[in-house]
Amino acid sequence: MASLKALKIRIGSVKSTQKITKALNMVAASKLRRAQQNATAARPYSERMTDVVASLASRITPGPQSPKLLAGTGKDDTHLIIVATSDRGLAGAFNSNIVRAARRKADDLIAQGKTVLFYIVGRKGRPVIQRLYGRSIIAQYDTSEMKNPTYADAQRIAKDIVDRYATDGIDVVHLAYANFRSTLVQEPTVEQIIPVAPRRPSDEAAEPVAAHKAAAPAAVEYEPDEEEILADLLPRNIAVQVYRALLENQAGFYGSQMTAMDNATRNAGDMINRLSIQYNRTRQAVITTELIEIISGAEAL
């Protein structure tokens, strides 16, 4: 049986932990609202940009003169997976769920005989990927100084990805991140961002208006010039998708951290109650033992 002193020390330790988890819960809750607003505001532009570029991809005939970011390299041998996680923990399974989704995608591709490489954004995804896939990590973008994601950060990541796509023999690029749904639900997502995937029939069936527009035989006109427009539009689309992923991750991280710290605070309270009951029972047993010893001694006299 634990001594009274040991129980008292443990109760004090759990109370200190409870104060920390409660403070982290309050901080995450205060930052979640702004992060959620940013993620929600970025979605319409990102989705519309995807639709526009996907519509262009469905209208081109792949060839040597086609932009690689739009039509691809003509091969499907080497895949790059961008694993975007946070730099901090104490957020439940938030980071591990993103890594798990990336691993499932990588394992599927490897089973098909493809070569898989990884580009790490954030620190929490690297240890597992490095342990399982060794030298497949080609680069890591440091986000430790990134308090709030900006479009400039996304542009730098996108430029690095586009440069590596052009020089490192990469055929397809996927982006793994957590799609924020609510404080309790962050959906791990793996999307192909290079080359742009044309609209699928199922997507058109789900959106009758978009399907009608996609089915129209109208040609696409470029002003001032097709090459100039696509040279600006395609890298910008990559940056927009990366920016959205960073914003979704930030909202998902704070939502997951708020939930995790709330659960931790409640668990600490339950532990304090159990330890307090054990402390009181132990104290009562000590008092009873001392009384019995006093009474026994008095009777012996």
Side-chain angles (χ1 to χ4, degrees):
M1 181 180 294
S3 66
L4 289 175
K5 184 177 181 181
L7 288 172
K8 193 171 184 180
I9 292 174
R10 191 174 180 188
I11 291 172
S13 176
V14 176
K15 284 183 177 179
S16 298
T17 302
Q18 187 183 43
K19 290 180 181 178
I20 295 172
T21 57
K22 188 174 182 180
L24 287 174
N25 177 29
M26 295 175 65
V27 170
S30 66
K31 293 183 177 181
L32 173 62
R33 182 178 179 84
R34 175 63 62 86
Q36 184 175 355
Q37 289 176 345
N38 292 340
T40 303
R43 286 173 188 168
Y45 184 81
S46 171
E47 291 170 356
R48 186 56 181 161
M49 175 74 82
T50 300
D51 289 342
V52 169
V53 179
S55 178
L56 294 176
S58 65
R59 286 177 166 84
I60 68 168
T61 301
Q65 303 301 323
S66 303
K68 289 185 178 181
L69 293 180
L70 191 63
T73 62
K75 298 184 295 182
D76 187 30
D77 299 331
T78 304
H79 291 246
L80 175 66
I81 300 178
I82 306 170
V83 184
T85 62
S86 69
D87 287 303
R88 293 172 290 169
L90 299 179
F94 174 77
N95 293 305
S96 60
N97 285 340
I98 298 174
V99 175
R100 190 175 296 113
R103 285 175 52 194
R104 283 197 297 266
K105 183 66 175 179
D107 292 342
D108 289 343
L109 292 171
I110 293 173
Q112 298 172 24
K114 313 295 184 183
T115 300
V116 178
L117 304 174
F118 292 92
Y119 188 102
I120 307 298
V121 178
R123 293 185 300 178
K124 288 299 180 179
R126 185 179 183 92
V128 176
I129 298 297
Q130 190 169 27
R131 175 170 55 85
L132 295 176
Y133 300 98
R135 299 180 180 178
S136 296
I137 299 176
I138 62 172
Q140 177 172 352
Y141 187 86
D142 184 15
T143 59
S144 58
E145 301 298 328
M146 187 193 304
K147 294 183 179 180
N148 293 305
T150 64
Y151 184 65
D153 295 318
Q155 282 182 311
R156 285 191 287 269
I157 297 173
K159 184 179 184 306
D160 192 18
I161 294 298
V162 171
D163 291 343
R164 292 178 183 278
Y165 181 75
T167 60
D168 292 0
I170 299 168
D171 300 315
V172 183
V173 178
H174 307 272
L175 177 60
Y177 65 99
N179 204 348
F180 177 77
R181 299 300 185 189
S182 69
T183 56
L184 296 176
V185 180
Q186 295 83 37
E187 180 183 357
T189 304
V190 182
E191 297 178 349
Q192 179 178 318
I193 59 174
I194 303 176
V196 178
R199 290 185 64 86
R200 298 172 297 179
S202 59
D203 296 335
E204 296 175 357
E207 301 178 16
V209 176
H212 175 72
K213 292 181 180 179
V220 177
E221 295 184 2
Y222 299 91
E223 293 183 3
D225 177 75
E226 175 181 355
E227 183 177 350
E228 183 178 348
I229 293 294
L230 293 180
D232 178 73
L233 181 64
L234 297 178
R236 180 177 298 188
N237 174 59
I238 306 303
V240 167
Q241 303 312 318
V242 171
Y243 184 46
R244 177 187 176 180
L246 294 177
L247 293 177
E248 295 279 354
N249 267 4
Q250 186 182 50
F253 171 79
Y254 287 132
S256 184
Q257 186 179 62
M258 187 180 72
T259 302
M261 291 301 99
D262 182 60
N263 292 335
T265 301
R266 293 184 182 183
N267 291 338
D270 293 340
M271 183 175 290
I272 290 171
N273 291 335
R274 291 196 300 270
L275 290 174
S276 297
I277 292 173
Q278 185 179 356
Y279 176 84
N280 291 334
R281 287 177 177 174
T282 303
R283 182 169 176 270
Q284 186 64 43
V286 171
I287 294 173
T288 302
T289 302
E290 291 178 352
L291 288 174
I292 291 174
E293 291 177 353
I294 293 172
I295 295 172
S296 299
E299 290 180 352
L301 293 175

